[in-house]
Amino acid sequence: MKKTLVVLTGAGISAESGIATFRDSNGLWENHSIEDVATPQGWQKDPALVQRFYNERREQLATVLPNEGHKILARLEQYFNVRIITQNVDDLHERGGSTNVLHLHGQLTQARGCNDVNKIYDIGYRSIEMGEKAQDGTQMRPHIVWFGEDVPEIMNAVELSAEADIFVVVGTSMQVYPAASLVNYVGNKVPIYIIDPKKPDISLSETMTFIEAGGSEGLQKLWEILVK
């Protein structure tokens, strides 16, 4: 019986593939304010700008490849029941070979209408055009969870976190909620590994091991701990 290894990933694991992290040190995402491109208010104010922004992100995603960190997580499936909870909207985990990925914040390669949140369309890397309608008759928009919107997958993520025999956090600053709260649902005696180039601003308990490294390097160290 394989142990369940639950991995919470964030923008840091995709950064090595050349994808700009969600929020740079200047508070912008690809030179746009978060309010303009990642909130319902931004969409209401200028839907064409928001559409263009995500079309460009999708176009960029088609040009990058999974990195060693993604591939290590896929290889860990030989030894563990690996369940990935990601805050990332890219598809690099899947392309890296991981078979169980829960996207908390939606996916760039999917679209939906403005009203029916349950009817999801797989669009790959193509653009969504203004005037393109979903079955609910509304403008097609990116299937992305924006700030201020509900996170439909959060309860599934909570359940997964509670089932973990080992819990790993990689590439996330633990600042974005509700994802950052998932560590609170992990069992008391479950070992938690936090991989980050700098120590996150949380108090480490005795079950936590901090690995000071970037995504790929840190996951290689984790491999050596768990597998070797």
Side-chain angles (χ1 to χ4, degrees):
M1 185 81 173
K2 289 180 178 175
K3 286 187 173 179
T4 296
L5 172 63
V6 178
V7 187
L8 173 64
T9 71
I13 195 165
S14 295
E16 289 177 46
S17 289
I19 291 185
T21 53
F22 176 67
R23 194 196 291 264
D24 292 325
S25 55
N26 57 7
L28 300 177
W29 186 13
E30 293 280 5
N31 298 317
H32 289 276
S33 86
I34 303 301
E35 290 71 27
D36 286 344
V37 295
T39 64
Q41 292 79 11
W43 173 254
Q44 285 162 4
K45 179 174 143 194
D46 193 345
L49 167 72
V50 176
Q51 202 78 274
R52 189 165 65 247
F53 176 81
Y54 289 97
N55 286 343
E56 288 169 0
R57 304 287 72 72
R58 218 173 285 114
E59 190 179 340
Q60 182 204 21
L61 179 57
T63 68
V64 301
L65 296 169
N67 59 57
E68 192 57 27
H70 296 109
K71 293 172 186 173
I72 291 168
L73 287 174
R75 289 200 295 272
L76 280 166
E77 290 189 11
Q78 299 166 52
Y79 304 93
F80 299 94
N81 171 26
V82 180
R83 307 301 296 269
I84 293 170
I85 302 167
T86 188
Q87 299 173 74
N88 300 337
V89 295
D90 60 63
D91 60 354
L92 294 175
H93 281 303
E94 288 89 346
R95 281 159 57 194
S98 289
T99 59
N100 284 300
V101 186
L102 184 153
H103 286 267
L104 273 180
H105 297 152
Q107 292 183 253
L108 267 177
T109 55
Q110 295 180 333
R112 64 174 175 85
C114 294
N115 290 339
D116 187 352
V117 298
N118 297 312
K119 175 65 179 167
I120 310 298
Y121 304 83
D122 288 312
I123 58 166
Y125 306 108
R126 75 168 179 85
S127 291
I128 305 172
E129 304 303 332
M130 292 306 294
E132 186 178 347
K133 297 288 194 342
Q135 274 182 8
D136 64 10
T138 63
Q139 169 65 47
M140 286 265 266
R141 54 159 275 185
H143 178 49
I144 303 290
V145 177
W146 291 324
F147 283 100
E149 293 186 317
D150 289 338
V151 182
E153 293 287 358
I154 191 64
M155 290 317 296
N156 290 329
V158 165
E159 285 174 23
L160 270 183
S161 303
E163 290 167 9
D165 296 310
I166 303 164
F167 194 83
V168 177
V169 178
V170 56
T172 171
S173 61
M174 306 290 283
Q175 299 297 309
V176 178
Y177 286 84
S181 66
L182 291 175
V183 72
N184 300 329
Y185 297 95
V186 178
N188 289 338
K189 303 227 168 90
V190 171
I192 297 173
Y193 295 89
I194 297 176
I195 298 168
D196 202 87
K198 60 180 190 292
K199 202 167 182 180
D201 189 20
I202 58 171
S203 53
L204 297 180
S205 70
E206 64 221 25
T207 58
M208 291 181 179
T209 302
F210 176 59
I211 299 174
E212 191 170 354
S216 294
E217 183 192 353
L219 284 166
Q220 185 58 49
K221 289 179 177 176
L222 181 74
W223 172 278
E224 282 154 21
I225 294 167
L226 298 181
V227 176
K228 294 183 177 177

